[in-house]
Amino acid sequence: MIVTLRIRRTNEAEQVFDPIRKKWVVFTEEEKVRQFFILHLINELKIPASHISVERKITLNGLTKRYDIVVYKEAKPWMVVECKAPHIPLTQEVLEQAERYNLTLNAEIIGVTNGVEQRFFKVGSDTD
């Protein structure tokens, strides 16, 4: 089954139905990137929606943070993705944000995307 975008306009804003969170959210520029990436994961990479987590809280150094997307494989975080709006460049700082989330998640792959550009990295392992 192909998942498609469901968009509606309310008096306040344009909204999109998030198939992972199963709720309507404001369709901001960053949300567009997040939703198109989710569609890519489900429709192109054939990752089951049940293996994708979106906008969940994690604790990092005593602070509550919220990651964009985590893909699970065998019930463990496999990939963490930080989404930015298209006008936000994918700088070292953006990559470091995803790396910080991964200190808690321990995913095998970290990535950043702004919908225009994507960068994904396999996390190295220590072999001491």
Side-chain angles (χ1 to χ4, degrees), residues 7-105:
I7 299 170
R8 73 180 183 188
R9 185 170 299 280
T10 67
N11 289 339
E12 294 81 40
E14 188 173 49
Q15 296 180 328
V16 63
F17 186 79
D18 183 316
I20 306 303
R21 293 179 276 182
K22 299 195 183 329
K23 69 178 187 176
W24 291 94
V25 295
V26 177
F27 206 28
T28 64
E29 291 299 307
E30 182 177 317
E31 192 62 44
K32 288 176 185 176
V33 172
R34 187 170 17 262
Q35 291 303 316
F36 281 114
F37 196 80
I38 290 168
L39 292 182
H40 174 71
L41 290 171
I42 295 171
N43 295 335
E44 305 299 323
L45 300 182
K46 306 300 183 204
I47 294 173
S50 62
H51 293 197
I52 302 169
S53 176
V54 175
E55 289 266 300
R56 290 270 179 89
K57 291 180 184 177
I58 57 172
T59 302
L60 181 62
N61 297 325
L63 299 173
T64 300
K65 300 289 182 181
R66 189 179 294 268
Y67 61 72
D68 282 318
I69 299 171
V70 171
V71 178
Y72 288 84
K73 190 176 188 180
E74 297 172 4
K76 295 179 186 171
W78 172 66
M79 177 171 56
V80 59
V81 182
E82 178 61 26
C83 300
K84 296 295 182 189
H87 68 276
I88 305 289
L90 299 183
T91 62
Q92 182 66 30
E93 184 178 323
V94 172
L95 180 58
E96 288 171 0
Q97 181 181 1
E99 288 174 328
R100 280 191 300 276
Y101 295 159
N102 204 39
L103 292 173
T104 299
L105 297 164

